[in-house]
Amino acid sequence: MNLTSAIPAPRSPRTSDTPAEPLVGRSALLSALIRHIPGPGSGPPPGVMLTGPTGVGRSALLAAFCDLVSPWASVLRAGPLDGTWCEAVGALRGDAAFARFPLGDEPLSSHQLHERVVALCRSGPVVLAMDDAHLPRPRSLRALDYVLRRSVGLPLLPVITVPPVAEPPALASLLTHHAWSARELRPLTGAEITELLLQRLGHDPSTALVRACQEQSEGIPAAVHAFLARHTGTADTTGGGTAADLATPQGARPLPSSASAVLSAVAVLGCAEPELVSELIRMPLPTVLRALDQLTERRILPLHGSQAGSPGPADAAPAGLSGDELVPLYARAARLLEDAGRPPAQVAHVLLRIPYGAAPWMLETLYSAALATDSPGTAVRYLSHALDIGAGENTRTLRRIRALLADTLSTIAPDLAVHHLSALLASSTDGHELAELALRYADTLVLLGRGDEAARLLADVLDRRPGSSQAIVPQESRATLESALLLSGALDPRTMHWVEERTRTASEPGDNNPGNRRLRLARAALSALSGRPVPEHPGPAADGAPCTPLDDLSLIASAVVANLTDDNSTALGTLDRLLGNPLRGELAPSRIQALTVRALVLSATGDLPAAERDSRQALELERRRDDSPAVMSAVVFAYVLAQRGTIAAAAAVLSQAGGADLRRLTYVHPLYWWATAAVRRAHGDLRGALTALRAGGRALGPQHAEPPLVLPWWLETAGLLTELGRTAEARQLAARNGTLVARPDTPRSAGLTLLARGLATPGRAGHRLLDDACARLAESPARLLRARAEYALGAALLDAGDPLAARPRLRTALDLMIGCGAGNAATGIRVRLAEAGGRPRQLSCRPDDALTARERRVAALAMAGRSNREIAETLYITRRTVELHLTHAYQKLGVSGRDDLVGVLQAASGTLVSRPGEGNR
């Protein structure tokens, strides 16, 4: 299939007995073009520039538009010869037959064209149409520019077509001096391709035919027509001209037979090299040279001949030959180019026109051309064609071609790659190849969001038994595939329970090779997310940069495990490594997932401003990547906004995600309900908030098997039950979940256990437990949970009649909330602090508002590079006091030292703080 062979070359407009063929997938664009036509007295709108890749149908759309509006608007179209214009007079102007005729016998001057346009504008709107405005027609371009400069107030609409990159000087001037509205023609979607095939075939196309057409055409209409012409054995009926048509344009004398034969040879070869043309048609070289000169003089060939792959007359079909007669001619042309040492791409350009009967060398040439090209789409066309025409050839060669095709498709159309990976997997006879194919197949399914299918596929491969007729995965590859199964199966609730059961019954991995490290990591992630103990973080699964979706999943799982085991620096470092990988594009799914997970890690550690930035960026990227709703990142963004107390914004984002099926988003679904509960609570709907929190708990897992460390929804639920007067129920819930959360032995889990027991225990004993919870949570990175514990203790002391003891606890809770960027969510803390006789700070979203004036001053001097002694001398305080102020600032801001202060306080103030040694440079 040759993409450019289906594109008609510029020529005279069609006669009235050749109506425009209905265009599939272009009705909306046609309607938009019609709306651009100016009405009476409205003046000229911006011109319309139709653009898009070769073969996308720019010329066909322009022709259809001109035919559609010609009954009620005057249409002037630029002719194929420089300076010529043709007119269509519509039915409303007294000629129901749509007469098309040239404006004079000779090219028009700019002044003559302007006079004609002005005369036509007196009767109504006028369309000036120029197809392929990038072609060398300087007189036509100058005339169009002349008319547009002098048409202010006239109902005139210029419409031109240009390829995406084409700026000859005359066209550049035209585009610079006048306003244009660019309309890009997109390739057809799968549904539109199916509709087009139905129109051409007269019956529903098979799924295999639609898939093959989509692979080879990439949705380019001209390529779809060419694909059908090749597969049905019919001539191209899409408007592409034959060599005879091009040799005798309207009003021109016919070409000599030798020139016509040469033109056909040029069309077959895709180039106008005299020696090759002479050998192909066995015509003496001097005769070929004379014929080429004639074709150049008649402007049928460019001045310097046609090059392979360029649109134009050289790509038209040879005249007077049937499809069966063309096959050996194209094969001979390709062999000539191959023997002449031409690049594989030039030979492949000719081979694409051969519908059947491939020789082994043809398949190798198409394979080499696919390897050599920088365009994945072009490589797909070469490889798909090789598979199509190579049926019955050497099986090993075809598998090699199909494997490269699957790899190429996985980067541009993974949904199409699945078919080829399935075919390769089903016919694999080697265990090592089977393992590699299964991983590639699973990678592609994960990329498509079909993790459950990936897990089932890997299980089917791993569970094959020796002695069967199928290939068996070797022992050294099993751990890698098992880890991929766990990671992909954990993405979907339909396979989550099954994956956990498989993990519990499997033996522990042995050696510390990369496959076993990845398997241990996958198991650790499942254990942490299920509330089971994780002895230690198993470390990264593999060295080097991630390069596949499953590699990225492994890194993300590593970050989750590190975060849940309170190794915050490792978690963020792992995600930074993934996000910093230059091999990942901005819109890669793994980048969006990593940003979303990093937002969750940052929110868990109390850096809500950074979490909001990451989740907002993930939402923007997901919206740009896909037209479907960006559910996952929207839910996480709303969750972070709710934690910050930005309730109206959180509600707006939740409303966009609420209509989607959230059940498939295993670890995002409960976040949706948590954020929903925060919105309902802020609006005073405590019972609605309670219902939402319980729904979030159910979304985390089966009854009595929730992993409460992942999202301690039960703390909020216990608080709501207490507010509703249901204290016994609140204590029962806190006690049960406190027992479950005690399993992973970390400061966070220990603090949560103590917090749960403290909430469930009345009196002084409960106060002691809450005090211990505050101490343990102070050792963890979970600053928001510590604020929750400090608030619980302060409120309990206040309710017990001890406001003096409650005041510092409530003050600490408020400072922590403000330091985390959640000042707007601290309304309840501020109220209780006021009841205890404290003076609440002013609400602000800046983390440094958690600091006192003296702490802020000490921190500023520390960031400026002053030592503790210098700070003490500047502020007339002791060094011990400086150390205490810095310690309090570090605790409130959640940082570990002076270097970290720069990032937090610089972002809070919006000013640049110089580090030591970075003074005046």
Side-chain angles (χ1 to χ4, degrees):
M1 181 274 299
N2 184 349
L3 181 65
T4 55
S5 67
I7 306 171
R11 50 182 163 160
S12 299
R14 294 168 299 187
T15 58
S16 59
D17 58 351
T18 58
E21 184 175 319
L23 299 178
V24 173
R26 305 299 187 217
S27 56
L29 199 48
L30 271 175
S31 299
L33 284 174
I34 292 173
R35 287 194 297 270
H36 271 79
I37 295 180
S42 63
V48 178
M49 179 174 61
L50 301 176
T51 186
T54 301
V56 79
R58 302 185 305 260
S59 302
L61 179 64
L62 180 62
F65 170 66
C66 292
D67 286 345
L68 194 61
V69 304
S70 58
W72 51 274
S74 299
V75 178
L76 298 181
R77 294 194 60 176
L81 298 180
D82 192 21
T84 62
W85 293 81
C86 302
E87 180 179 2
V89 180
L92 295 185
R93 306 194 190 284
D95 184 358
F98 294 3
R100 290 169 168 82
F101 54 88
L103 300 180
D105 297 330
E106 298 295 333
L108 296 180
S109 67
S110 299
H111 178 68
Q112 289 172 322
L113 179 62
H114 179 251
E115 286 184 335
R116 185 60 176 161
V117 168
V118 171
L120 291 172
C121 283
R122 297 192 186 102
S123 303
V126 175
V127 174
L128 273 177
M130 178 177 284
D131 192 17
D132 290 328
H134 62 289
L135 295 180
R137 288 177 289 175
R139 296 181 62 178
S140 298
L141 288 171
R142 283 196 300 269
L144 181 58
D145 182 35
Y146 181 91
V147 171
L148 294 181
R149 288 175 182 271
R150 290 159 177 78
S151 299
V152 177
L154 296 180
L156 175 67
L157 174 68
V159 184
I160 64 174
T161 70
V162 294
V165 181
E167 285 197 12
L171 179 59
S173 174
L174 184 70
L175 298 179
T176 301
H177 292 100
H178 306 285
W180 295 91
S181 173
R183 296 280 181 169
E184 183 176 0
L185 279 72
R186 304 286 185 181
L188 301 180
T189 64
E192 290 166 348
I193 290 175
T194 303
E195 181 183 349
L196 183 54
L197 294 181
L198 175 61
Q199 285 188 6
R200 290 288 305 273
L201 296 174
H203 57 80
D204 288 331
S206 66
T207 304
L209 182 65
V210 173
R211 182 177 59 246
C213 182
Q214 189 173 0
E215 285 180 6
Q216 298 188 34
S217 69
E218 295 185 291
I220 302 297
V224 174
H225 287 291
F227 172 88
L228 272 176
R230 180 164 53 82
H231 277 266
T232 59
T234 60
D236 186 7
T237 61
T238 63
T242 66
D245 295 331
L246 298 170
T248 57
Q250 212 174 47
R253 65 185 184 278
L255 281 174
S257 59
S258 60
S260 181
V262 167
L263 184 58
S264 293
V266 170
V268 170
L269 284 166
C271 66
E273 296 184 32
E275 293 81 5
L276 292 176
V277 171
S278 172
E279 192 167 352
L280 178 64
I281 59 177
R282 295 182 174 86
M283 180 181 287
L285 184 58
T287 306
V288 170
L289 292 172
R290 285 195 300 272
L292 289 173
D293 289 341
Q294 292 173 341
L295 294 171
T296 303
E297 290 173 3
R298 299 278 290 271
R299 299 188 181 183
I300 297 174
L301 287 180
L303 293 178
H304 301 290
S306 294
Q307 298 300 318
S310 62
D315 283 319
L321 295 176
S322 66
D324 289 339
E325 293 173 318
L326 280 173
V327 171
L329 189 60
Y330 282 129
R332 176 173 163 75
R335 193 72 209 195
L336 285 174
L337 293 168
E338 173 82 4
D339 292 343
R342 296 294 185 268
Q346 188 175 356
V347 184
H349 177 78
V350 179
L351 291 175
L352 286 174
R353 305 184 184 190
I354 298 176
Y356 57 84
W361 71 267
M362 296 180 182
L363 301 183
E364 292 297 335
T365 298
L366 289 166
Y367 184 83
S368 300
L371 288 175
T373 183
D374 294 329
S375 168
T378 302
V380 167
R381 288 198 294 275
Y382 293 155
L383 296 168
S384 297
H385 186 66
L387 284 181
D388 200 29
I389 65 176
E393 291 295 325
N394 183 273
T395 303
R396 186 184 299 274
T397 300
L398 293 179
R399 284 184 65 82
R400 181 160 47 90
I401 292 171
R402 191 182 293 277
L404 181 57
L405 175 59
D407 280 345
T408 308
L409 282 171
S410 65
T411 63
I412 59 174
D415 54 327
L416 298 176
V418 167
H419 163 72
H420 297 286
L421 289 168
S422 177
L424 289 168
L425 193 68
S427 58
S428 178
T429 58
D430 178 76
H432 291 88
E433 182 200 50
L434 176 68
E436 181 185 349
L437 284 171
L439 278 177
R440 286 163 57 194
Y441 199 169
D443 269 323
T444 306
L445 290 172
V446 168
L447 188 63
L448 292 169
R450 294 155 60 180
D452 57 324
E453 293 182 41
R456 299 289 184 187
L457 163 77
L458 291 167
D460 178 69
V461 171
L462 283 167
D463 294 344
R464 293 179 180 180
R465 293 288 178 259
S468 66
S469 59
Q470 297 175 306
I472 304 298
V473 174
Q475 188 62 37
E476 60 268 24
S477 302
R478 297 187 68 84
T480 300
L481 265 65
E482 190 70 40
S483 66
L485 186 156
L486 299 184
L487 291 171
S488 55
L491 295 175
D492 196 292
R494 291 172 295 188
T495 49
M496 179 67 182
H497 180 68
W498 164 67
V499 164
E500 289 180 340
E501 289 294 329
R502 187 181 181 97
T503 304
R504 280 193 284 268
T505 59
S507 58
E508 287 296 321
D511 298 337
N512 195 32
N513 56 51
N516 285 333
R517 286 202 302 270
R518 177 175 283 189
L519 180 55
R520 278 193 289 271
L521 173 62
R523 291 184 170 186
L526 284 175
S527 297
L529 292 170
S530 302
R532 297 194 301 274
V534 180
E536 61 181 6
H537 188 274
D543 300 325
C547 56
T548 71
L550 284 172
D551 287 336
D552 293 345
L553 272 183
S554 183
L555 283 179
I556 291 173
S558 176
V560 170
V561 172
N563 179 53
L564 293 178
T565 54
D566 286 350
D567 190 358
N568 182 48
S569 58
T570 297
L572 293 176
T574 301
L575 293 168
D576 291 345
R577 170 189 167 198
L578 193 155
L579 289 167
N581 180 12
L583 299 178
R584 282 286 169 263
E586 186 181 26
L587 299 182
S590 59
R591 179 174 180 80
I592 298 171
Q593 292 167 358
L595 282 169
T596 302
V597 173
R598 191 169 70 177
L600 291 174
V601 172
L602 290 168
S603 68
T605 56
D607 192 352
L608 292 179
E612 181 179 341
R613 286 193 297 272
D614 273 357
S615 57
R616 186 190 300 274
Q617 184 182 359
L619 178 58
E620 292 171 352
L621 293 178
E622 192 172 0
R623 284 173 173 169
R624 284 172 51 193
R625 184 179 183 272
D626 198 349
D627 293 334
S628 59
V631 179
M632 179 183 71
S633 52
V635 169
V636 174
F637 185 39
Y639 170 72
V640 174
L641 291 174
Q643 286 186 303
R644 297 201 69 182
T646 315
I647 299 301
V653 177
L654 285 174
S655 66
Q656 301 171 15
D661 182 9
L662 295 167
R663 291 172 298 177
R664 295 200 62 180
L665 302 172
T666 308
Y667 305 116
V668 175
H669 192 189
L671 298 181
Y672 170 82
W673 288 116
W674 193 99
T676 300
V679 172
R680 291 178 179 176
R681 183 171 187 170
H683 292 150
D685 182 9
L686 299 186
R687 295 186 182 277
L690 183 62
T691 301
L693 284 171
R694 289 193 182 279
R698 289 192 298 272
L700 282 166
Q703 189 175 9
H704 305 304
E706 303 93 341
L709 182 60
V710 177
L711 182 69
W713 59 274
W714 47 276
L715 284 178
E716 300 297 328
T717 305
L720 280 173
L721 289 170
T722 302
E723 290 184 47
L724 292 169
R726 297 156 61 178
T727 53
E729 190 177 348
R731 289 171 182 170
Q732 182 182 8
L733 179 68
R736 179 171 66 85
N737 284 276
T739 302
L740 289 174
V741 85
R743 296 170 185 173
D745 186 16
T746 63
R748 176 171 18 190
S749 64
L752 268 175
T753 302
L754 292 166
L755 176 57
R757 293 172 57 194
L759 290 173
T761 305
R764 293 183 180 274
H767 298 170
R768 286 193 296 270
L769 288 170
L770 292 174
D771 185 55
D772 290 342
C774 294
R776 289 308 306 270
L777 289 171
E779 301 171 8
S780 82
R783 289 191 291 154
L784 283 175
L785 280 177
R786 183 192 169 196
R788 178 72 176 82
E790 296 281 359
Y791 172 66
L793 178 55
L797 292 170
L798 185 60
D799 291 338
D802 191 354
L804 188 62
R807 198 180 304 156
R809 296 295 185 174
L810 294 171
R811 170 73 67 189
T812 299
L814 180 60
D815 288 345
L816 284 169
M817 292 290 284
I818 295 174
C820 291
N824 289 329
T827 303
I829 302 176
R830 293 172 57 80
V831 171
R832 299 311 304 266
L833 180 58
E835 291 177 12
R839 181 180 299 175
R841 304 188 195 283
Q842 294 297 317
L843 281 175
S844 173
C845 294
R846 289 172 48 177
D848 61 333
D849 285 335
L851 307 181
T852 64
R854 180 55 61 88
E855 289 168 350
R856 190 179 297 111
R857 179 63 175 152
V858 169
L861 290 171
M863 287 191 298
R866 304 286 186 90
S867 66
N868 287 359
R869 181 177 60 81
E870 291 172 331
I871 296 173
E873 293 174 353
T874 302
L875 300 180
Y876 301 102
I877 56 178
T878 65
R879 293 178 60 182
R880 174 61 179 162
T881 302
V882 173
E883 293 171 358
L884 287 174
H885 284 322
L886 285 175
T887 300
H888 291 158
Y890 296 158
Q891 291 176 346
K892 290 179 180 180
L893 297 174
V895 299
S896 58
R898 297 184 180 218
D899 290 340
D900 296 331
L901 282 175
V902 176
V904 174
L905 295 186
Q906 178 178 318
S909 62
T911 58
L912 180 64
V913 181
S914 298
R915 293 181 182 272
E918 293 182 351
N920 298 329
R921 291 186 179 181

